[in-house]
Coordinates of all heavy atoms in Angstrom, one line a residue:
D1284 N 92.7 98.2 95.7 CA 92.1 96.9 95.6 C 92.9 96.0 94.4 O 93.1 96.6 93.4 CB 90.7 97.0 95.1 CG 89.8 97.7 96.3 OD1 90.0 97.3 97.3 OD2 89.0 98.5 95.8
V1285 N 93.2 94.8 94.8 CA 93.8 93.9 93.8 C 92.6 93.0 93.3 O 92.5 92.8 92.1 CB 94.9 93.1 94.4 CG1 95.3 92.0 93.4 CG2 96.0 94.0 94.8
T1286 N 91.7 92.7 94.2 CA 90.5 91.9 93.9 C 89.3 92.5 94.4 O 89.4 93.3 95.5 CB 90.7 90.3 94.3 OG1 90.7 90.4 95.8 CG2 91.9 89.7 93.7
V1287 N 88.1 92.2 93.9 CA 86.9 92.6 94.4 C 86.8 94.1 94.6 O 86.8 94.7 95.8 CB 86.4 91.9 95.8 CG1 85.0 92.0 96.1 CG2 86.7 90.4 95.6
P1288 N 86.7 95.0 93.5 CA 86.5 96.3 93.6 C 85.3 96.7 94.5 O 84.3 95.9 94.6 CB 86.4 96.8 92.3 CG 86.9 95.6 91.4 CD 86.7 94.4 92.1
D1289 N 85.2 97.9 95.0 CA 84.1 98.4 95.7 C 82.7 98.1 95.0 O 82.7 98.4 93.8 CB 84.2 99.9 96.0 CG 85.1 100.1 97.2 OD1 85.6 99.2 97.9 OD2 85.5 101.3 97.5
N1290 N 81.7 97.8 95.7 CA 80.4 97.6 95.2 C 80.2 96.5 94.1 O 79.3 96.4 93.5 CB 79.8 98.9 94.6 CG 79.7 100.0 95.7 OD1 79.3 99.7 96.8 ND2 80.3 101.1 95.5
T1291 N 81.2 95.6 94.2 CA 81.0 94.3 93.4 C 79.7 93.6 93.9 O 79.5 93.5 95.0 CB 82.3 93.4 93.6 OG1 83.4 94.1 93.1 CG2 82.0 92.1 92.9
R1292 N 79.0 93.1 93.0 CA 77.8 92.3 93.3 C 78.1 90.8 93.4 O 78.8 90.3 92.5 CB 76.7 92.5 92.3 CG 76.1 93.8 92.2 CD 74.9 93.9 91.2 NE 74.3 95.2 91.4 CZ 73.4 95.5 92.4 NH1 73.1 94.5 93.3 NH2 72.8 96.6 92.4
M1293 N 77.6 90.2 94.5 CA 77.9 88.7 94.7 C 76.7 88.2 95.3 O 75.9 88.7 96.0 CB 79.0 88.5 95.7 CG 80.4 89.1 95.2 SD 81.6 88.5 96.4 CE 83.1 88.8 95.4
P1294 N 76.5 86.8 95.1 CA 75.4 86.2 95.7 C 75.7 85.9 97.2 O 76.8 85.9 97.6 CB 75.3 84.8 94.9 CG 76.8 84.6 94.5 CD 77.3 86.0 94.2
P1295 N 74.6 85.6 98.0 CA 74.7 85.4 99.4 C 75.6 84.1 99.6 O 75.7 83.2 98.8 CB 73.2 85.1 99.8 CG 72.4 85.5 98.8 CD 73.2 85.6 97.5
D1296 N 76.2 83.9 100.7 CA 76.9 82.7 101.2 C 78.0 82.3 100.2 O 78.1 81.0 99.9 CB 76.0 81.6 101.5 CG 74.9 82.0 102.6 OD1 75.4 82.6 103.6 OD2 73.8 81.9 102.4
R1297 N 78.7 83.1 99.7 CA 79.7 82.7 98.7 C 81.1 83.1 99.3 O 81.3 84.2 99.7 CB 79.5 83.5 97.4 CG 80.6 83.1 96.4 CD 80.5 83.9 95.0 NE 81.5 83.8 94.2 CZ 81.7 84.5 93.1 NH1 80.8 85.4 92.8 NH2 82.8 84.4 92.4
Q1298 N 82.0 82.1 99.3 CA 83.3 82.4 99.7 C 84.2 83.1 98.5 O 84.0 82.8 97.4 CB 84.1 81.1 100.0 CG 85.5 81.2 100.7 CD 86.0 79.9 101.1 OE1 86.2 79.1 100.2 NE2 86.3 79.8 102.4
F1299 N 85.0 84.1 99.0 CA 85.8 84.8 98.0 C 87.2 85.2 98.7 O 87.2 85.4 100.0 CB 85.1 86.1 97.4 CG 84.8 87.1 98.4 CD1 85.5 88.3 98.5 CD2 83.7 87.0 99.3 CE1 85.2 89.3 99.4 CE2 83.3 88.0 100.2 CZ 84.2 89.2 100.3
A1300 N 88.1 85.6 97.9 CA 89.3 86.1 98.4 C 89.5 87.6 98.0 O 89.3 88.1 96.9 CB 90.6 85.4 97.7
K1301 N 89.7 88.3 99.1 CA 89.9 89.8 98.9 C 91.3 90.1 99.2 O 92.0 89.6 100.1 CB 89.0 90.6 100.0 CG 89.3 92.0 100.0 CD 88.9 92.7 98.7 CE 89.3 94.2 98.8 NZ 89.0 94.9 97.5
A1302 N 91.9 90.8 98.1 CA 93.4 91.2 98.3 C 93.5 92.7 98.1 O 92.8 93.3 97.4 CB 94.1 90.5 97.2
W1303 N 94.4 93.3 98.9 CA 94.7 94.8 98.8 C 96.2 94.9 98.4 O 97.0 94.1 99.0 CB 94.4 95.5 100.1 CG 93.0 95.4 100.6 CD1 92.0 96.4 100.3 CD2 92.4 94.5 101.6 NE1 90.9 96.0 100.9 CE2 91.2 94.9 101.7 CE3 92.9 93.4 102.3 CZ2 90.2 94.2 102.6 CZ3 92.0 92.7 103.1 CH2 90.8 93.1 103.2
R1304 N 96.6 96.0 97.8 CA 98.0 96.3 97.7 C 98.3 97.6 98.6 O 97.6 98.6 98.4 CB 98.3 96.6 96.3 CG 99.8 96.9 96.1 CD 100.1 96.9 94.6 NE 100.1 95.5 94.2 CZ 99.6 95.1 93.1 NH1 99.0 95.9 92.2 NH2 99.6 93.8 92.8
L1305 N 99.1 97.4 99.6 CA 99.3 98.4 100.6 C 100.7 99.0 100.4 O 101.7 98.2 100.2 CB 99.2 97.8 102.1 CG 97.9 97.1 102.4 CD1 97.9 96.5 103.8 CD2 96.7 98.0 102.2
K1306 N 100.8 100.2 100.6 CA 102.1 100.9 100.5 C 102.6 101.4 101.9 O 101.8 102.1 102.6 CB 102.1 102.1 99.5 CG 103.5 102.8 99.5 CD 103.4 103.9 98.4 CE 104.9 104.4 98.3 NZ 104.9 105.4 97.2
N1307 N 103.8 101.0 102.2 CA 104.4 101.5 103.5 C 104.9 102.9 103.3 O 106.0 103.1 102.8 CB 105.5 100.6 104.0 CG 106.1 101.0 105.3 OD1 105.9 102.1 105.8 ND2 106.9 100.2 105.8
A1308 N 104.1 103.9 103.7 CA 104.4 105.3 103.5 C 105.2 105.9 104.7 O 105.4 107.1 104.8 CB 103.2 106.1 103.1
G1309 N 105.4 105.0 105.6 CA 106.0 105.6 106.9 C 107.5 105.3 106.9 O 108.2 105.3 105.8
T1310 N 108.2 105.4 108.0 CA 109.6 105.4 108.1 C 110.1 104.0 108.8 O 111.4 103.8 108.8 CB 110.1 106.5 109.0 OG1 109.5 106.5 110.3 CG2 109.8 107.9 108.3
C1311 N 109.2 103.2 109.2 CA 109.5 102.0 109.9 C 109.3 100.8 108.9 O 108.3 100.8 108.2 CB 108.8 101.7 111.2 SG 108.9 103.1 112.5
T1312 N 110.1 99.8 109.0 CA 109.9 98.6 108.3 C 108.7 97.9 109.0 O 108.7 97.7 110.1 CB 111.1 97.6 108.2 OG1 112.1 98.4 107.5 CG2 110.8 96.4 107.5
W1313 N 107.7 97.3 108.1 CA 106.7 96.5 108.6 C 107.2 95.0 108.6 O 107.7 94.5 107.5 CB 105.5 96.5 107.8 CG 104.7 97.9 107.6 CD1 104.9 98.9 108.4 CD2 103.8 98.1 106.7 NE1 104.1 99.9 108.0 CE2 103.4 99.5 106.9 CE3 103.2 97.5 105.6 CZ2 102.5 100.2 106.1 CZ3 102.3 98.2 104.8 CH2 101.9 99.4 105.0
T1314 N 107.5 94.5 109.8 CA 108.0 93.1 109.8 C 106.9 92.1 109.8 O 105.7 92.4 109.9 CB 108.9 93.0 111.1 OG1 108.0 93.0 112.2 CG2 110.0 94.1 111.1
T1315 N 107.4 90.8 110.0 CA 106.3 89.7 110.1 C 105.7 89.7 111.4 O 104.8 89.0 111.6 CB 107.0 88.4 109.7 OG1 108.2 88.2 110.6 CG2 107.4 88.3 108.2
G1316 N 106.1 90.7 112.3 CA 105.6 90.9 113.6 C 104.3 91.7 113.4 O 103.5 91.8 114.4
Y1317 N 104.2 92.3 112.4 CA 103.0 93.1 112.0 C 101.9 92.2 111.5 O 102.2 91.1 110.9 CB 103.2 94.2 111.0 CG 104.0 95.5 111.4 CD1 105.3 95.3 112.1 CD2 103.6 96.7 111.2 CE1 106.0 96.4 112.5 CE2 104.2 97.8 111.6 CZ 105.5 97.7 112.3 OH 106.1 98.8 112.7
A1318 N 100.6 92.7 111.5 CA 99.5 92.0 111.1 C 98.4 93.0 110.6 O 98.4 94.1 110.9 CB 98.8 91.2 112.2
F1319 N 97.7 92.5 109.7 CA 96.4 93.3 109.4 C 95.3 92.8 110.1 O 95.2 91.5 110.4 CB 96.2 93.4 107.7 CG 96.0 92.2 107.0 CD1 94.7 91.7 106.7 CD2 97.0 91.3 106.6 CE1 94.5 90.5 106.0 CE2 96.8 90.2 106.0 CZ 95.5 89.8 105.6
I1320 N 94.4 93.6 110.7 CA 93.4 93.2 111.6 C 92.1 93.7 111.1 O 92.0 94.7 110.5 CB 93.8 93.7 113.0 CG1 93.8 95.2 113.0 CG2 95.1 93.1 113.5 CD1 93.9 95.8 114.4
F1321 N 91.1 92.9 111.5 CA 89.6 93.5 111.3 C 89.4 94.6 112.3 O 89.8 94.5 113.5 CB 88.6 92.3 111.6 CG 87.2 92.8 111.4 CD1 86.8 93.2 110.2 CD2 86.5 93.0 112.6 CE1 85.4 93.7 110.1 CE2 85.1 93.5 112.5 CZ 84.7 93.8 111.2
D1322 N 88.9 95.7 111.7 CA 88.6 96.9 112.6 C 87.2 97.1 112.9 O 86.8 97.3 114.1 CB 89.3 98.1 111.9 CG 89.0 99.4 112.6 OD1 89.5 99.5 113.8 OD2 88.4 100.4 112.1
S1323 N 86.3 97.2 112.0 CA 84.8 97.5 112.2 C 84.1 97.1 110.9 O 84.6 96.9 109.8 CB 84.7 99.0 112.4 OG 85.1 99.7 111.4
G1324 N 82.8 97.1 111.1 CA 81.9 96.8 110.0 C 81.5 95.3 109.9 O 81.4 94.7 111.0
A1325 N 81.4 94.9 108.7 CA 81.1 93.5 108.5 C 82.3 92.6 108.3 O 83.1 92.9 107.5 CB 80.2 93.4 107.2
Q1326 N 82.5 91.7 109.3 CA 83.8 90.9 109.3 C 83.7 89.8 108.2 O 84.7 89.2 107.8 CB 83.9 90.3 110.6 CG 85.4 89.7 110.8 CD 85.7 89.3 112.3 OE1 84.9 89.7 113.2 NE2 86.8 88.7 112.5
M1327 N 82.5 89.4 107.8 CA 82.3 88.5 106.7 C 83.1 87.1 106.9 O 83.6 86.6 105.9 CB 82.6 89.0 105.3 CG 81.6 90.2 105.1 SD 81.9 90.9 103.5 CE 82.3 92.6 103.8
G1328 N 83.1 86.7 108.1 CA 83.8 85.5 108.4 C 85.4 85.5 108.3 O 86.0 84.5 108.5
G1329 N 85.8 86.7 108.2 CA 87.3 86.8 108.2 C 88.0 86.7 109.6 O 87.3 86.8 110.6
P1330 N 89.3 86.5 109.6 CA 90.0 86.3 110.9 C 90.1 87.7 111.6 O 90.0 88.8 110.9 CB 91.4 85.9 110.3 CG 91.7 86.4 109.1 CD 90.2 86.4 108.4
A1331 N 90.3 87.6 112.9 CA 90.4 88.8 113.6 C 91.8 89.4 113.3 O 91.9 90.7 113.2 CB 90.5 88.5 115.1
S1332 N 92.8 88.7 112.9 CA 94.1 89.2 112.5 C 94.7 88.1 111.7 O 94.5 87.0 111.7 CB 94.9 89.6 113.7 OG 95.4 88.4 114.5
Q1333 N 95.8 88.7 110.9 CA 96.5 87.8 110.0 C 97.9 88.4 109.8 O 98.0 89.5 109.4 CB 95.8 87.6 108.6 CG 96.5 86.5 107.8 CD 95.6 86.2 106.6 OE1 94.4 85.8 106.8 NE2 96.1 86.3 105.4
A1334 N 98.9 87.7 110.2 CA 100.4 88.3 110.2 C 100.8 88.5 108.7 O 100.4 87.8 107.8 CB 101.2 87.3 110.8
L1335 N 101.6 89.5 108.6 CA 102.3 89.7 107.3 C 103.2 88.6 107.1 O 103.8 88.0 108.0 CB 103.0 91.1 107.3 CG 102.1 92.2 107.4 CD1 103.1 93.7 107.4 CD2 101.1 92.4 106.3
T1336 N 103.3 88.2 105.8 CA 104.3 87.0 105.5 C 105.6 87.5 105.1 O 106.5 86.6 104.8 CB 103.5 86.2 104.4 OG1 103.4 87.0 103.2 CG2 102.3 85.5 104.8
E1337 N 105.9 88.8 105.0 CA 107.2 89.3 104.5 C 107.4 90.6 105.1 O 106.3 91.3 105.5 CB 107.3 89.3 103.0 CG 106.3 90.2 102.3 CD 106.2 90.2 100.8 OE1 107.1 91.0 100.2 OE2 105.5 89.3 100.3
D1338 N 108.6 91.1 105.3 CA 108.9 92.4 105.6 C 108.7 93.4 104.5 O 108.9 93.1 103.3 CB 110.4 92.6 106.1 CG 110.8 91.8 107.3 OD1 109.9 91.4 108.1 OD2 111.9 91.8 107.7
V1339 N 108.2 94.6 104.9 CA 107.9 95.6 103.9 C 108.6 96.9 104.3 O 108.4 97.5 105.3 CB 106.4 95.9 103.9 CG1 106.0 96.9 102.8 CG2 105.5 94.7 103.7
L1340 N 109.6 97.2 103.5 CA 110.5 98.4 103.8 C 109.7 99.8 103.5 O 108.7 99.7 102.8 CB 111.7 98.3 102.9 CG 112.6 97.1 103.1 CD1 113.8 97.2 102.0 CD2 113.2 97.2 104.4
P1341 N 110.1 100.8 104.1 CA 109.5 102.1 103.8 C 109.6 102.4 102.3 O 110.5 102.2 101.6 CB 110.3 103.1 104.5 CG 110.8 102.4 105.8 CD 111.1 101.0 105.1
G1342 N 108.4 102.8 101.8 CA 108.3 103.0 100.3 C 107.9 101.9 99.5 O 107.5 102.0 98.3
A1343 N 107.9 100.7 100.0 CA 107.7 99.5 99.3 C 106.0 99.1 99.4 O 105.4 99.7 100.3 CB 108.5 98.3 99.8
T1344 N 105.6 98.2 98.5 CA 104.2 97.8 98.6 C 104.2 96.2 98.9 O 105.2 95.6 98.7 CB 103.5 98.0 97.3 OG1 104.2 97.4 96.3 CG2 103.4 99.5 97.1
V1345 N 103.1 95.8 99.4 CA 102.8 94.4 99.7 C 101.4 94.1 99.4 O 100.6 95.0 99.6 CB 103.1 94.1 101.2 CG1 102.3 94.8 102.1 CG2 103.1 92.6 101.4
D1346 N 101.2 93.0 98.9 CA 99.8 92.5 98.6 C 99.4 91.6 99.8 O 100.1 90.7 100.2 CB 99.6 91.6 97.4 CG 99.7 92.5 96.1 OD1 99.8 93.7 96.3 OD2 99.7 91.9 94.9
V1347 N 98.3 91.9 100.5 CA 97.7 91.1 101.5 C 96.4 90.6 101.1 O 95.6 91.3 100.5 CB 97.6 91.8 102.9 CG1 99.1 92.3 103.3 CG2 96.8 93.1 102.8
S1348 N 95.9 89.4 101.6 CA 94.7 88.8 101.2 C 94.1 88.1 102.3 O 94.9 87.6 103.2 CB 94.8 88.0 99.9 OG 95.7 86.8 100.1
V1349 N 92.8 87.9 102.2 CA 92.1 87.2 103.3 C 90.9 86.5 102.6 O 90.4 87.0 101.5 CB 91.6 88.2 104.4 CG1 90.5 89.2 103.9 CG2 91.1 87.5 105.5
I1350 N 90.5 85.4 103.0 CA 89.4 84.6 102.6 C 88.1 85.0 103.4 O 88.1 85.1 104.6 CB 89.6 83.1 102.7 CG1 90.8 82.6 101.9 CG2 88.3 82.4 102.2 CD1 90.7 82.9 100.5
L1351 N 87.2 85.5 102.7 CA 85.8 86.1 103.2 C 84.7 85.2 102.8 O 84.8 84.5 101.8 CB 85.8 87.5 103.0 CG 86.9 88.3 103.6 CD1 86.7 89.8 103.1 CD2 86.9 88.4 105.0
M1352 N 83.5 85.5 103.4 CA 82.3 84.9 103.0 C 81.2 85.9 103.0 O 81.1 86.8 103.8 CB 81.7 83.8 104.0 CG 80.5 83.1 103.8 SD 80.6 81.9 102.4 CE 81.5 80.6 103.1
T1353 N 80.4 86.0 101.8 CA 79.4 87.1 101.7 C 78.3 86.7 102.7 O 78.0 85.5 103.1 CB 78.7 87.1 100.3 OG1 78.2 85.9 99.9 CG2 79.8 87.5 99.3
P1354 N 77.6 87.8 103.3 CA 76.6 87.5 104.2 C 75.3 86.8 103.5 O 75.2 86.7 102.4 CB 76.2 88.9 104.7 CG 77.4 89.8 104.5 CD 78.0 89.2 103.3
S1355 N 74.5 86.3 104.4 CA 73.4 85.5 103.9 C 72.2 86.4 103.4 O 71.5 86.0 102.6 CB 72.8 84.6 105.0 OG 73.7 83.7 105.4
S1356 N 72.1 87.6 103.8 CA 71.1 88.6 103.5 C 71.5 89.6 102.5 O 72.7 90.0 102.5 CB 70.5 89.3 104.7 OG 70.1 88.4 105.7
A1357 N 70.5 90.0 101.6 CA 70.9 90.9 100.6 C 71.2 92.3 101.3 O 70.6 92.6 102.4 CB 69.7 91.2 99.7
G1358 N 72.0 93.1 100.6 CA 72.4 94.3 101.2 C 73.8 94.8 100.9 O 74.5 94.1 100.2
T1359 N 74.2 96.0 101.2 CA 75.6 96.5 101.0 C 76.3 96.3 102.3 O 75.8 96.7 103.4 CB 75.5 98.0 100.6 OG1 74.7 98.0 99.4 CG2 76.9 98.5 100.4
Y1360 N 77.4 95.7 102.3 CA 78.3 95.5 103.4 C 79.6 96.1 103.3 O 80.3 95.9 102.1 CB 78.4 94.0 103.6 CG 77.0 93.3 104.0 CD1 76.2 92.9 102.9 CD2 76.6 93.2 105.2 CE1 74.9 92.3 103.3 CE2 75.3 92.6 105.5 CZ 74.6 92.2 104.5 OH 73.4 91.7 104.7
R1361 N 80.3 96.5 104.4 CA 81.6 97.1 104.3 C 82.3 96.6 105.5 O 81.8 96.7 106.6 CB 81.5 98.6 104.2 CG 83.0 99.2 104.3 CD 82.8 100.7 104.3 NE 84.1 101.4 104.5 CZ 84.7 102.3 103.9 NH1 84.1 102.8 102.7 NH2 85.8 102.8 104.1
G1362 N 83.5 96.1 105.3 CA 84.4 95.7 106.4 C 85.7 96.5 106.4 O 86.3 96.7 105.3
N1363 N 86.1 97.0 107.5 CA 87.2 97.9 107.6 C 88.3 97.2 108.3 O 88.1 96.5 109.3 CB 86.9 99.2 108.3 CG 85.8 100.0 107.8 OD1 86.0 100.4 106.5 ND2 84.8 100.3 108.4
W1364 N 89.5 97.4 107.7 CA 90.8 96.7 108.2 C 91.9 97.7 108.5 O 92.0 98.7 107.8 CB 91.2 95.6 107.1 CG 90.2 94.5 107.0 CD1 89.0 94.6 106.3 CD2 90.3 93.3 107.5 NE1 88.3 93.5 106.2 CE2 89.1 92.6 107.1 CE3 91.1 92.5 108.3 CZ2 88.7 91.2 107.3 CZ3 90.9 91.3 108.6 CH2 89.7 90.6 108.1
K1365 N 92.8 97.4 109.4 CA 93.9 98.2 109.7 C 95.1 97.3 109.9 O 95.0 96.1 109.9 CB 93.6 99.1 111.1 CG 92.6 100.1 111.0 CD 92.5 100.9 112.3 CE 91.6 102.1 112.2 NZ 91.5 102.8 113.3
L1366 N 96.3 97.9 110.1 CA 97.5 97.3 110.5 C 97.7 97.3 112.0 O 97.2 98.3 112.6 CB 98.6 97.8 109.7 CG 98.6 97.6 108.2 CD1 99.7 98.4 107.4 CD2 98.8 96.1 107.9
R1367 N 98.5 96.5 112.5 CA 98.9 96.4 113.9 C 100.4 96.2 114.0 O 100.8 95.3 113.3 CB 98.1 95.4 114.7 CG 98.5 95.4 116.2 CD 97.8 94.3 116.9 NE 98.2 93.0 116.4 CZ 97.4 91.9 116.4 NH1 96.1 92.0 116.7 NH2 97.8 90.7 115.9
N1368 N 101.1 97.0 114.7 CA 102.5 96.9 114.8 C 102.9 95.8 115.8 O 101.9 95.2 116.5 CB 103.2 98.2 115.0 CG 102.9 98.8 116.4 OD1 102.5 98.2 117.3 ND2 103.1 100.2 116.4
E1369 N 104.2 95.6 116.0 CA 104.7 94.6 117.1 C 104.3 94.9 118.4 O 104.3 94.1 119.3 CB 106.2 94.5 116.8 CG 106.6 93.9 115.4 CD 108.1 94.2 115.1 OE1 108.6 95.2 115.5 OE2 108.5 93.3 114.5
L1370 N 103.9 96.2 118.7 CA 103.6 96.6 120.1 C 102.1 96.4 120.3 O 101.6 96.8 121.4 CB 104.1 98.0 120.3 CG 105.6 98.3 120.2 CD1 105.8 99.7 120.3 CD2 106.3 97.5 121.2
G1371 N 101.4 96.0 119.3 CA 99.9 95.9 119.4 C 99.1 97.2 119.1 O 97.9 97.2 119.4
E1372 N 99.8 98.2 118.5 CA 99.2 99.3 118.2 C 98.6 99.4 116.8 O 99.3 99.1 115.9 CB 100.1 100.6 118.4 CG 100.8 100.7 119.6 CD 101.9 101.5 119.7 OE1 102.7 101.6 118.8 OE2 102.3 102.2 120.7
A1373 N 97.3 99.6 116.6 CA 96.6 99.6 115.4 C 96.8 101.0 114.7 O 96.8 102.1 115.4 CB 95.1 99.3 115.5
F1374 N 96.9 100.9 113.4 CA 97.0 102.2 112.7 C 96.5 101.9 111.2 O 96.4 100.9 110.7 CB 98.5 102.6 112.6 CG 99.5 101.7 111.8 CD1 99.8 101.9 110.5 CD2 100.0 100.6 112.5 CE1 100.6 101.0 109.9 CE2 100.9 99.9 111.9 CZ 101.3 100.0 110.5
A1375 N 96.0 103.0 110.7 CA 95.4 103.1 109.4 C 96.5 103.4 108.4 O 97.7 103.5 108.7 CB 94.4 104.2 109.3
L1376 N 96.1 103.6 107.1 CA 97.1 103.9 106.1 C 97.5 105.3 106.0 O 96.9 106.1 106.9 CB 96.5 103.5 104.6 CG 96.3 102.0 104.6 CD1 95.7 101.7 103.2 CD2 97.5 101.1 104.8
A1377 N 98.2 105.8 105.1 CA 98.7 107.3 105.2 C 97.6 108.3 105.3 O 97.8 109.3 105.7 CB 99.6 107.5 104.0
D1378 N 96.5 108.0 104.5 CA 95.4 109.0 104.5 C 94.5 108.8 105.8 O 93.5 109.5 105.8 CB 94.5 108.6 103.2 CG 93.8 107.3 103.2 OD1 94.0 106.5 104.3 OD2 93.2 107.0 102.3
G1379 N 94.9 108.0 106.8 CA 94.1 108.0 108.0 C 92.9 107.0 107.9 O 92.2 106.9 108.8
E1380 N 92.7 106.5 106.7 CA 91.4 105.8 106.6 C 91.9 104.2 106.6 O 93.0 103.8 106.1 CB 90.8 106.0 105.3 CG 90.2 107.3 105.3 CD 89.0 107.6 106.1 OE1 88.2 106.6 106.3 OE2 88.9 108.6 106.8
P1381 N 91.0 103.4 107.2 CA 91.3 101.8 107.2 C 91.1 101.4 105.7 O 90.4 102.1 104.8 CB 90.2 101.3 107.9 CG 89.1 102.3 108.2 CD 89.8 103.6 108.0
F1382 N 91.7 100.4 105.3 CA 91.5 99.7 104.0 C 90.3 99.0 104.2 O 90.0 98.5 105.3 CB 92.6 99.0 103.3 CG 93.4 98.2 104.2 CD1 93.2 96.7 104.0 CD2 94.2 98.5 105.2 CE1 93.9 95.8 104.8 CE2 94.9 97.6 106.0 CZ 94.7 96.2 105.9
H1383 N 89.5 98.7 103.1 CA 88.2 98.1 103.3 C 87.8 97.2 102.1 O 88.3 97.2 101.1 CB 87.1 99.2 103.5 CG 86.9 100.0 102.3 ND1 87.7 101.2 102.1 CD2 86.1 99.9 101.3 CE1 87.3 101.7 100.8 NE2 86.3 101.0 100.4
V1384 N 86.7 96.4 102.3 CA 86.1 95.8 101.3 C 84.6 96.1 101.4 O 84.0 96.2 102.5 CB 86.2 94.1 101.5 CG1 85.7 93.6 102.8 CG2 85.4 93.4 100.4
Q1385 N 84.0 96.5 100.2 CA 82.6 96.8 100.3 C 82.0 96.1 99.1 O 82.3 96.2 97.9 CB 82.5 98.4 100.1 CG 80.9 98.8 100.1 CD 80.8 100.3 100.2 OE1 81.4 100.9 101.1 NE2 80.0 100.9 99.2
L1386 N 80.9 95.3 99.4 CA 80.2 94.7 98.3 C 78.7 94.7 98.4 O 78.2 95.0 99.6 CB 80.7 93.3 98.2 CG 80.7 92.4 99.6 CD1 79.3 91.6 99.7 CD2 81.8 91.4 99.5
V1387 N 78.0 94.3 97.4 CA 76.6 94.4 97.4 C 76.2 92.9 97.3 O 76.6 92.2 96.3 CB 76.0 95.1 96.2 CG1 74.5 95.1 96.3 CG2 76.5 96.6 96.3
V1388 N 75.4 92.3 98.2 CA 74.9 91.0 98.2 C 73.5 91.0 97.6 O 72.6 91.8 98.0 CB 75.0 90.3 99.6 CG1 74.2 89.0 99.5 CG2 76.3 90.3 100.2
S1389 N 73.3 90.3 96.5 CA 72.0 90.2 95.8 C 71.9 88.7 95.3 O 72.8 88.2 94.7 CB 71.8 91.2 94.9 OG 72.8 91.1 93.8
P1390 N 70.7 88.1 95.4 CA 70.4 86.8 95.0 C 70.5 86.7 93.5 O 70.4 87.7 92.8 CB 69.1 86.6 95.5 CG 68.6 87.6 96.4 CD 69.5 88.7 96.2

């Protein structure tokens, strides 16, 4: 997480920027034909997909960010995101888990 660590408390209906630092632990370059995509959970008004803005060589890192909106109702919300390659195949990070945002909405 670059911004909004897990279980950050936020008020309802608040716009925020979520950023992650991702490491390309594979053997292929992630090109601008790759995108990060919403996978499951709470989408929080985020886009279905967003293209990478730069190529990421194997072993390199990239910061990706998205503008989201907290839900209207109090509770704990988690949104899961993955990467999608140029062939349209979705994949998780090296640990097999999607990267995510998890927050607590409270008035």
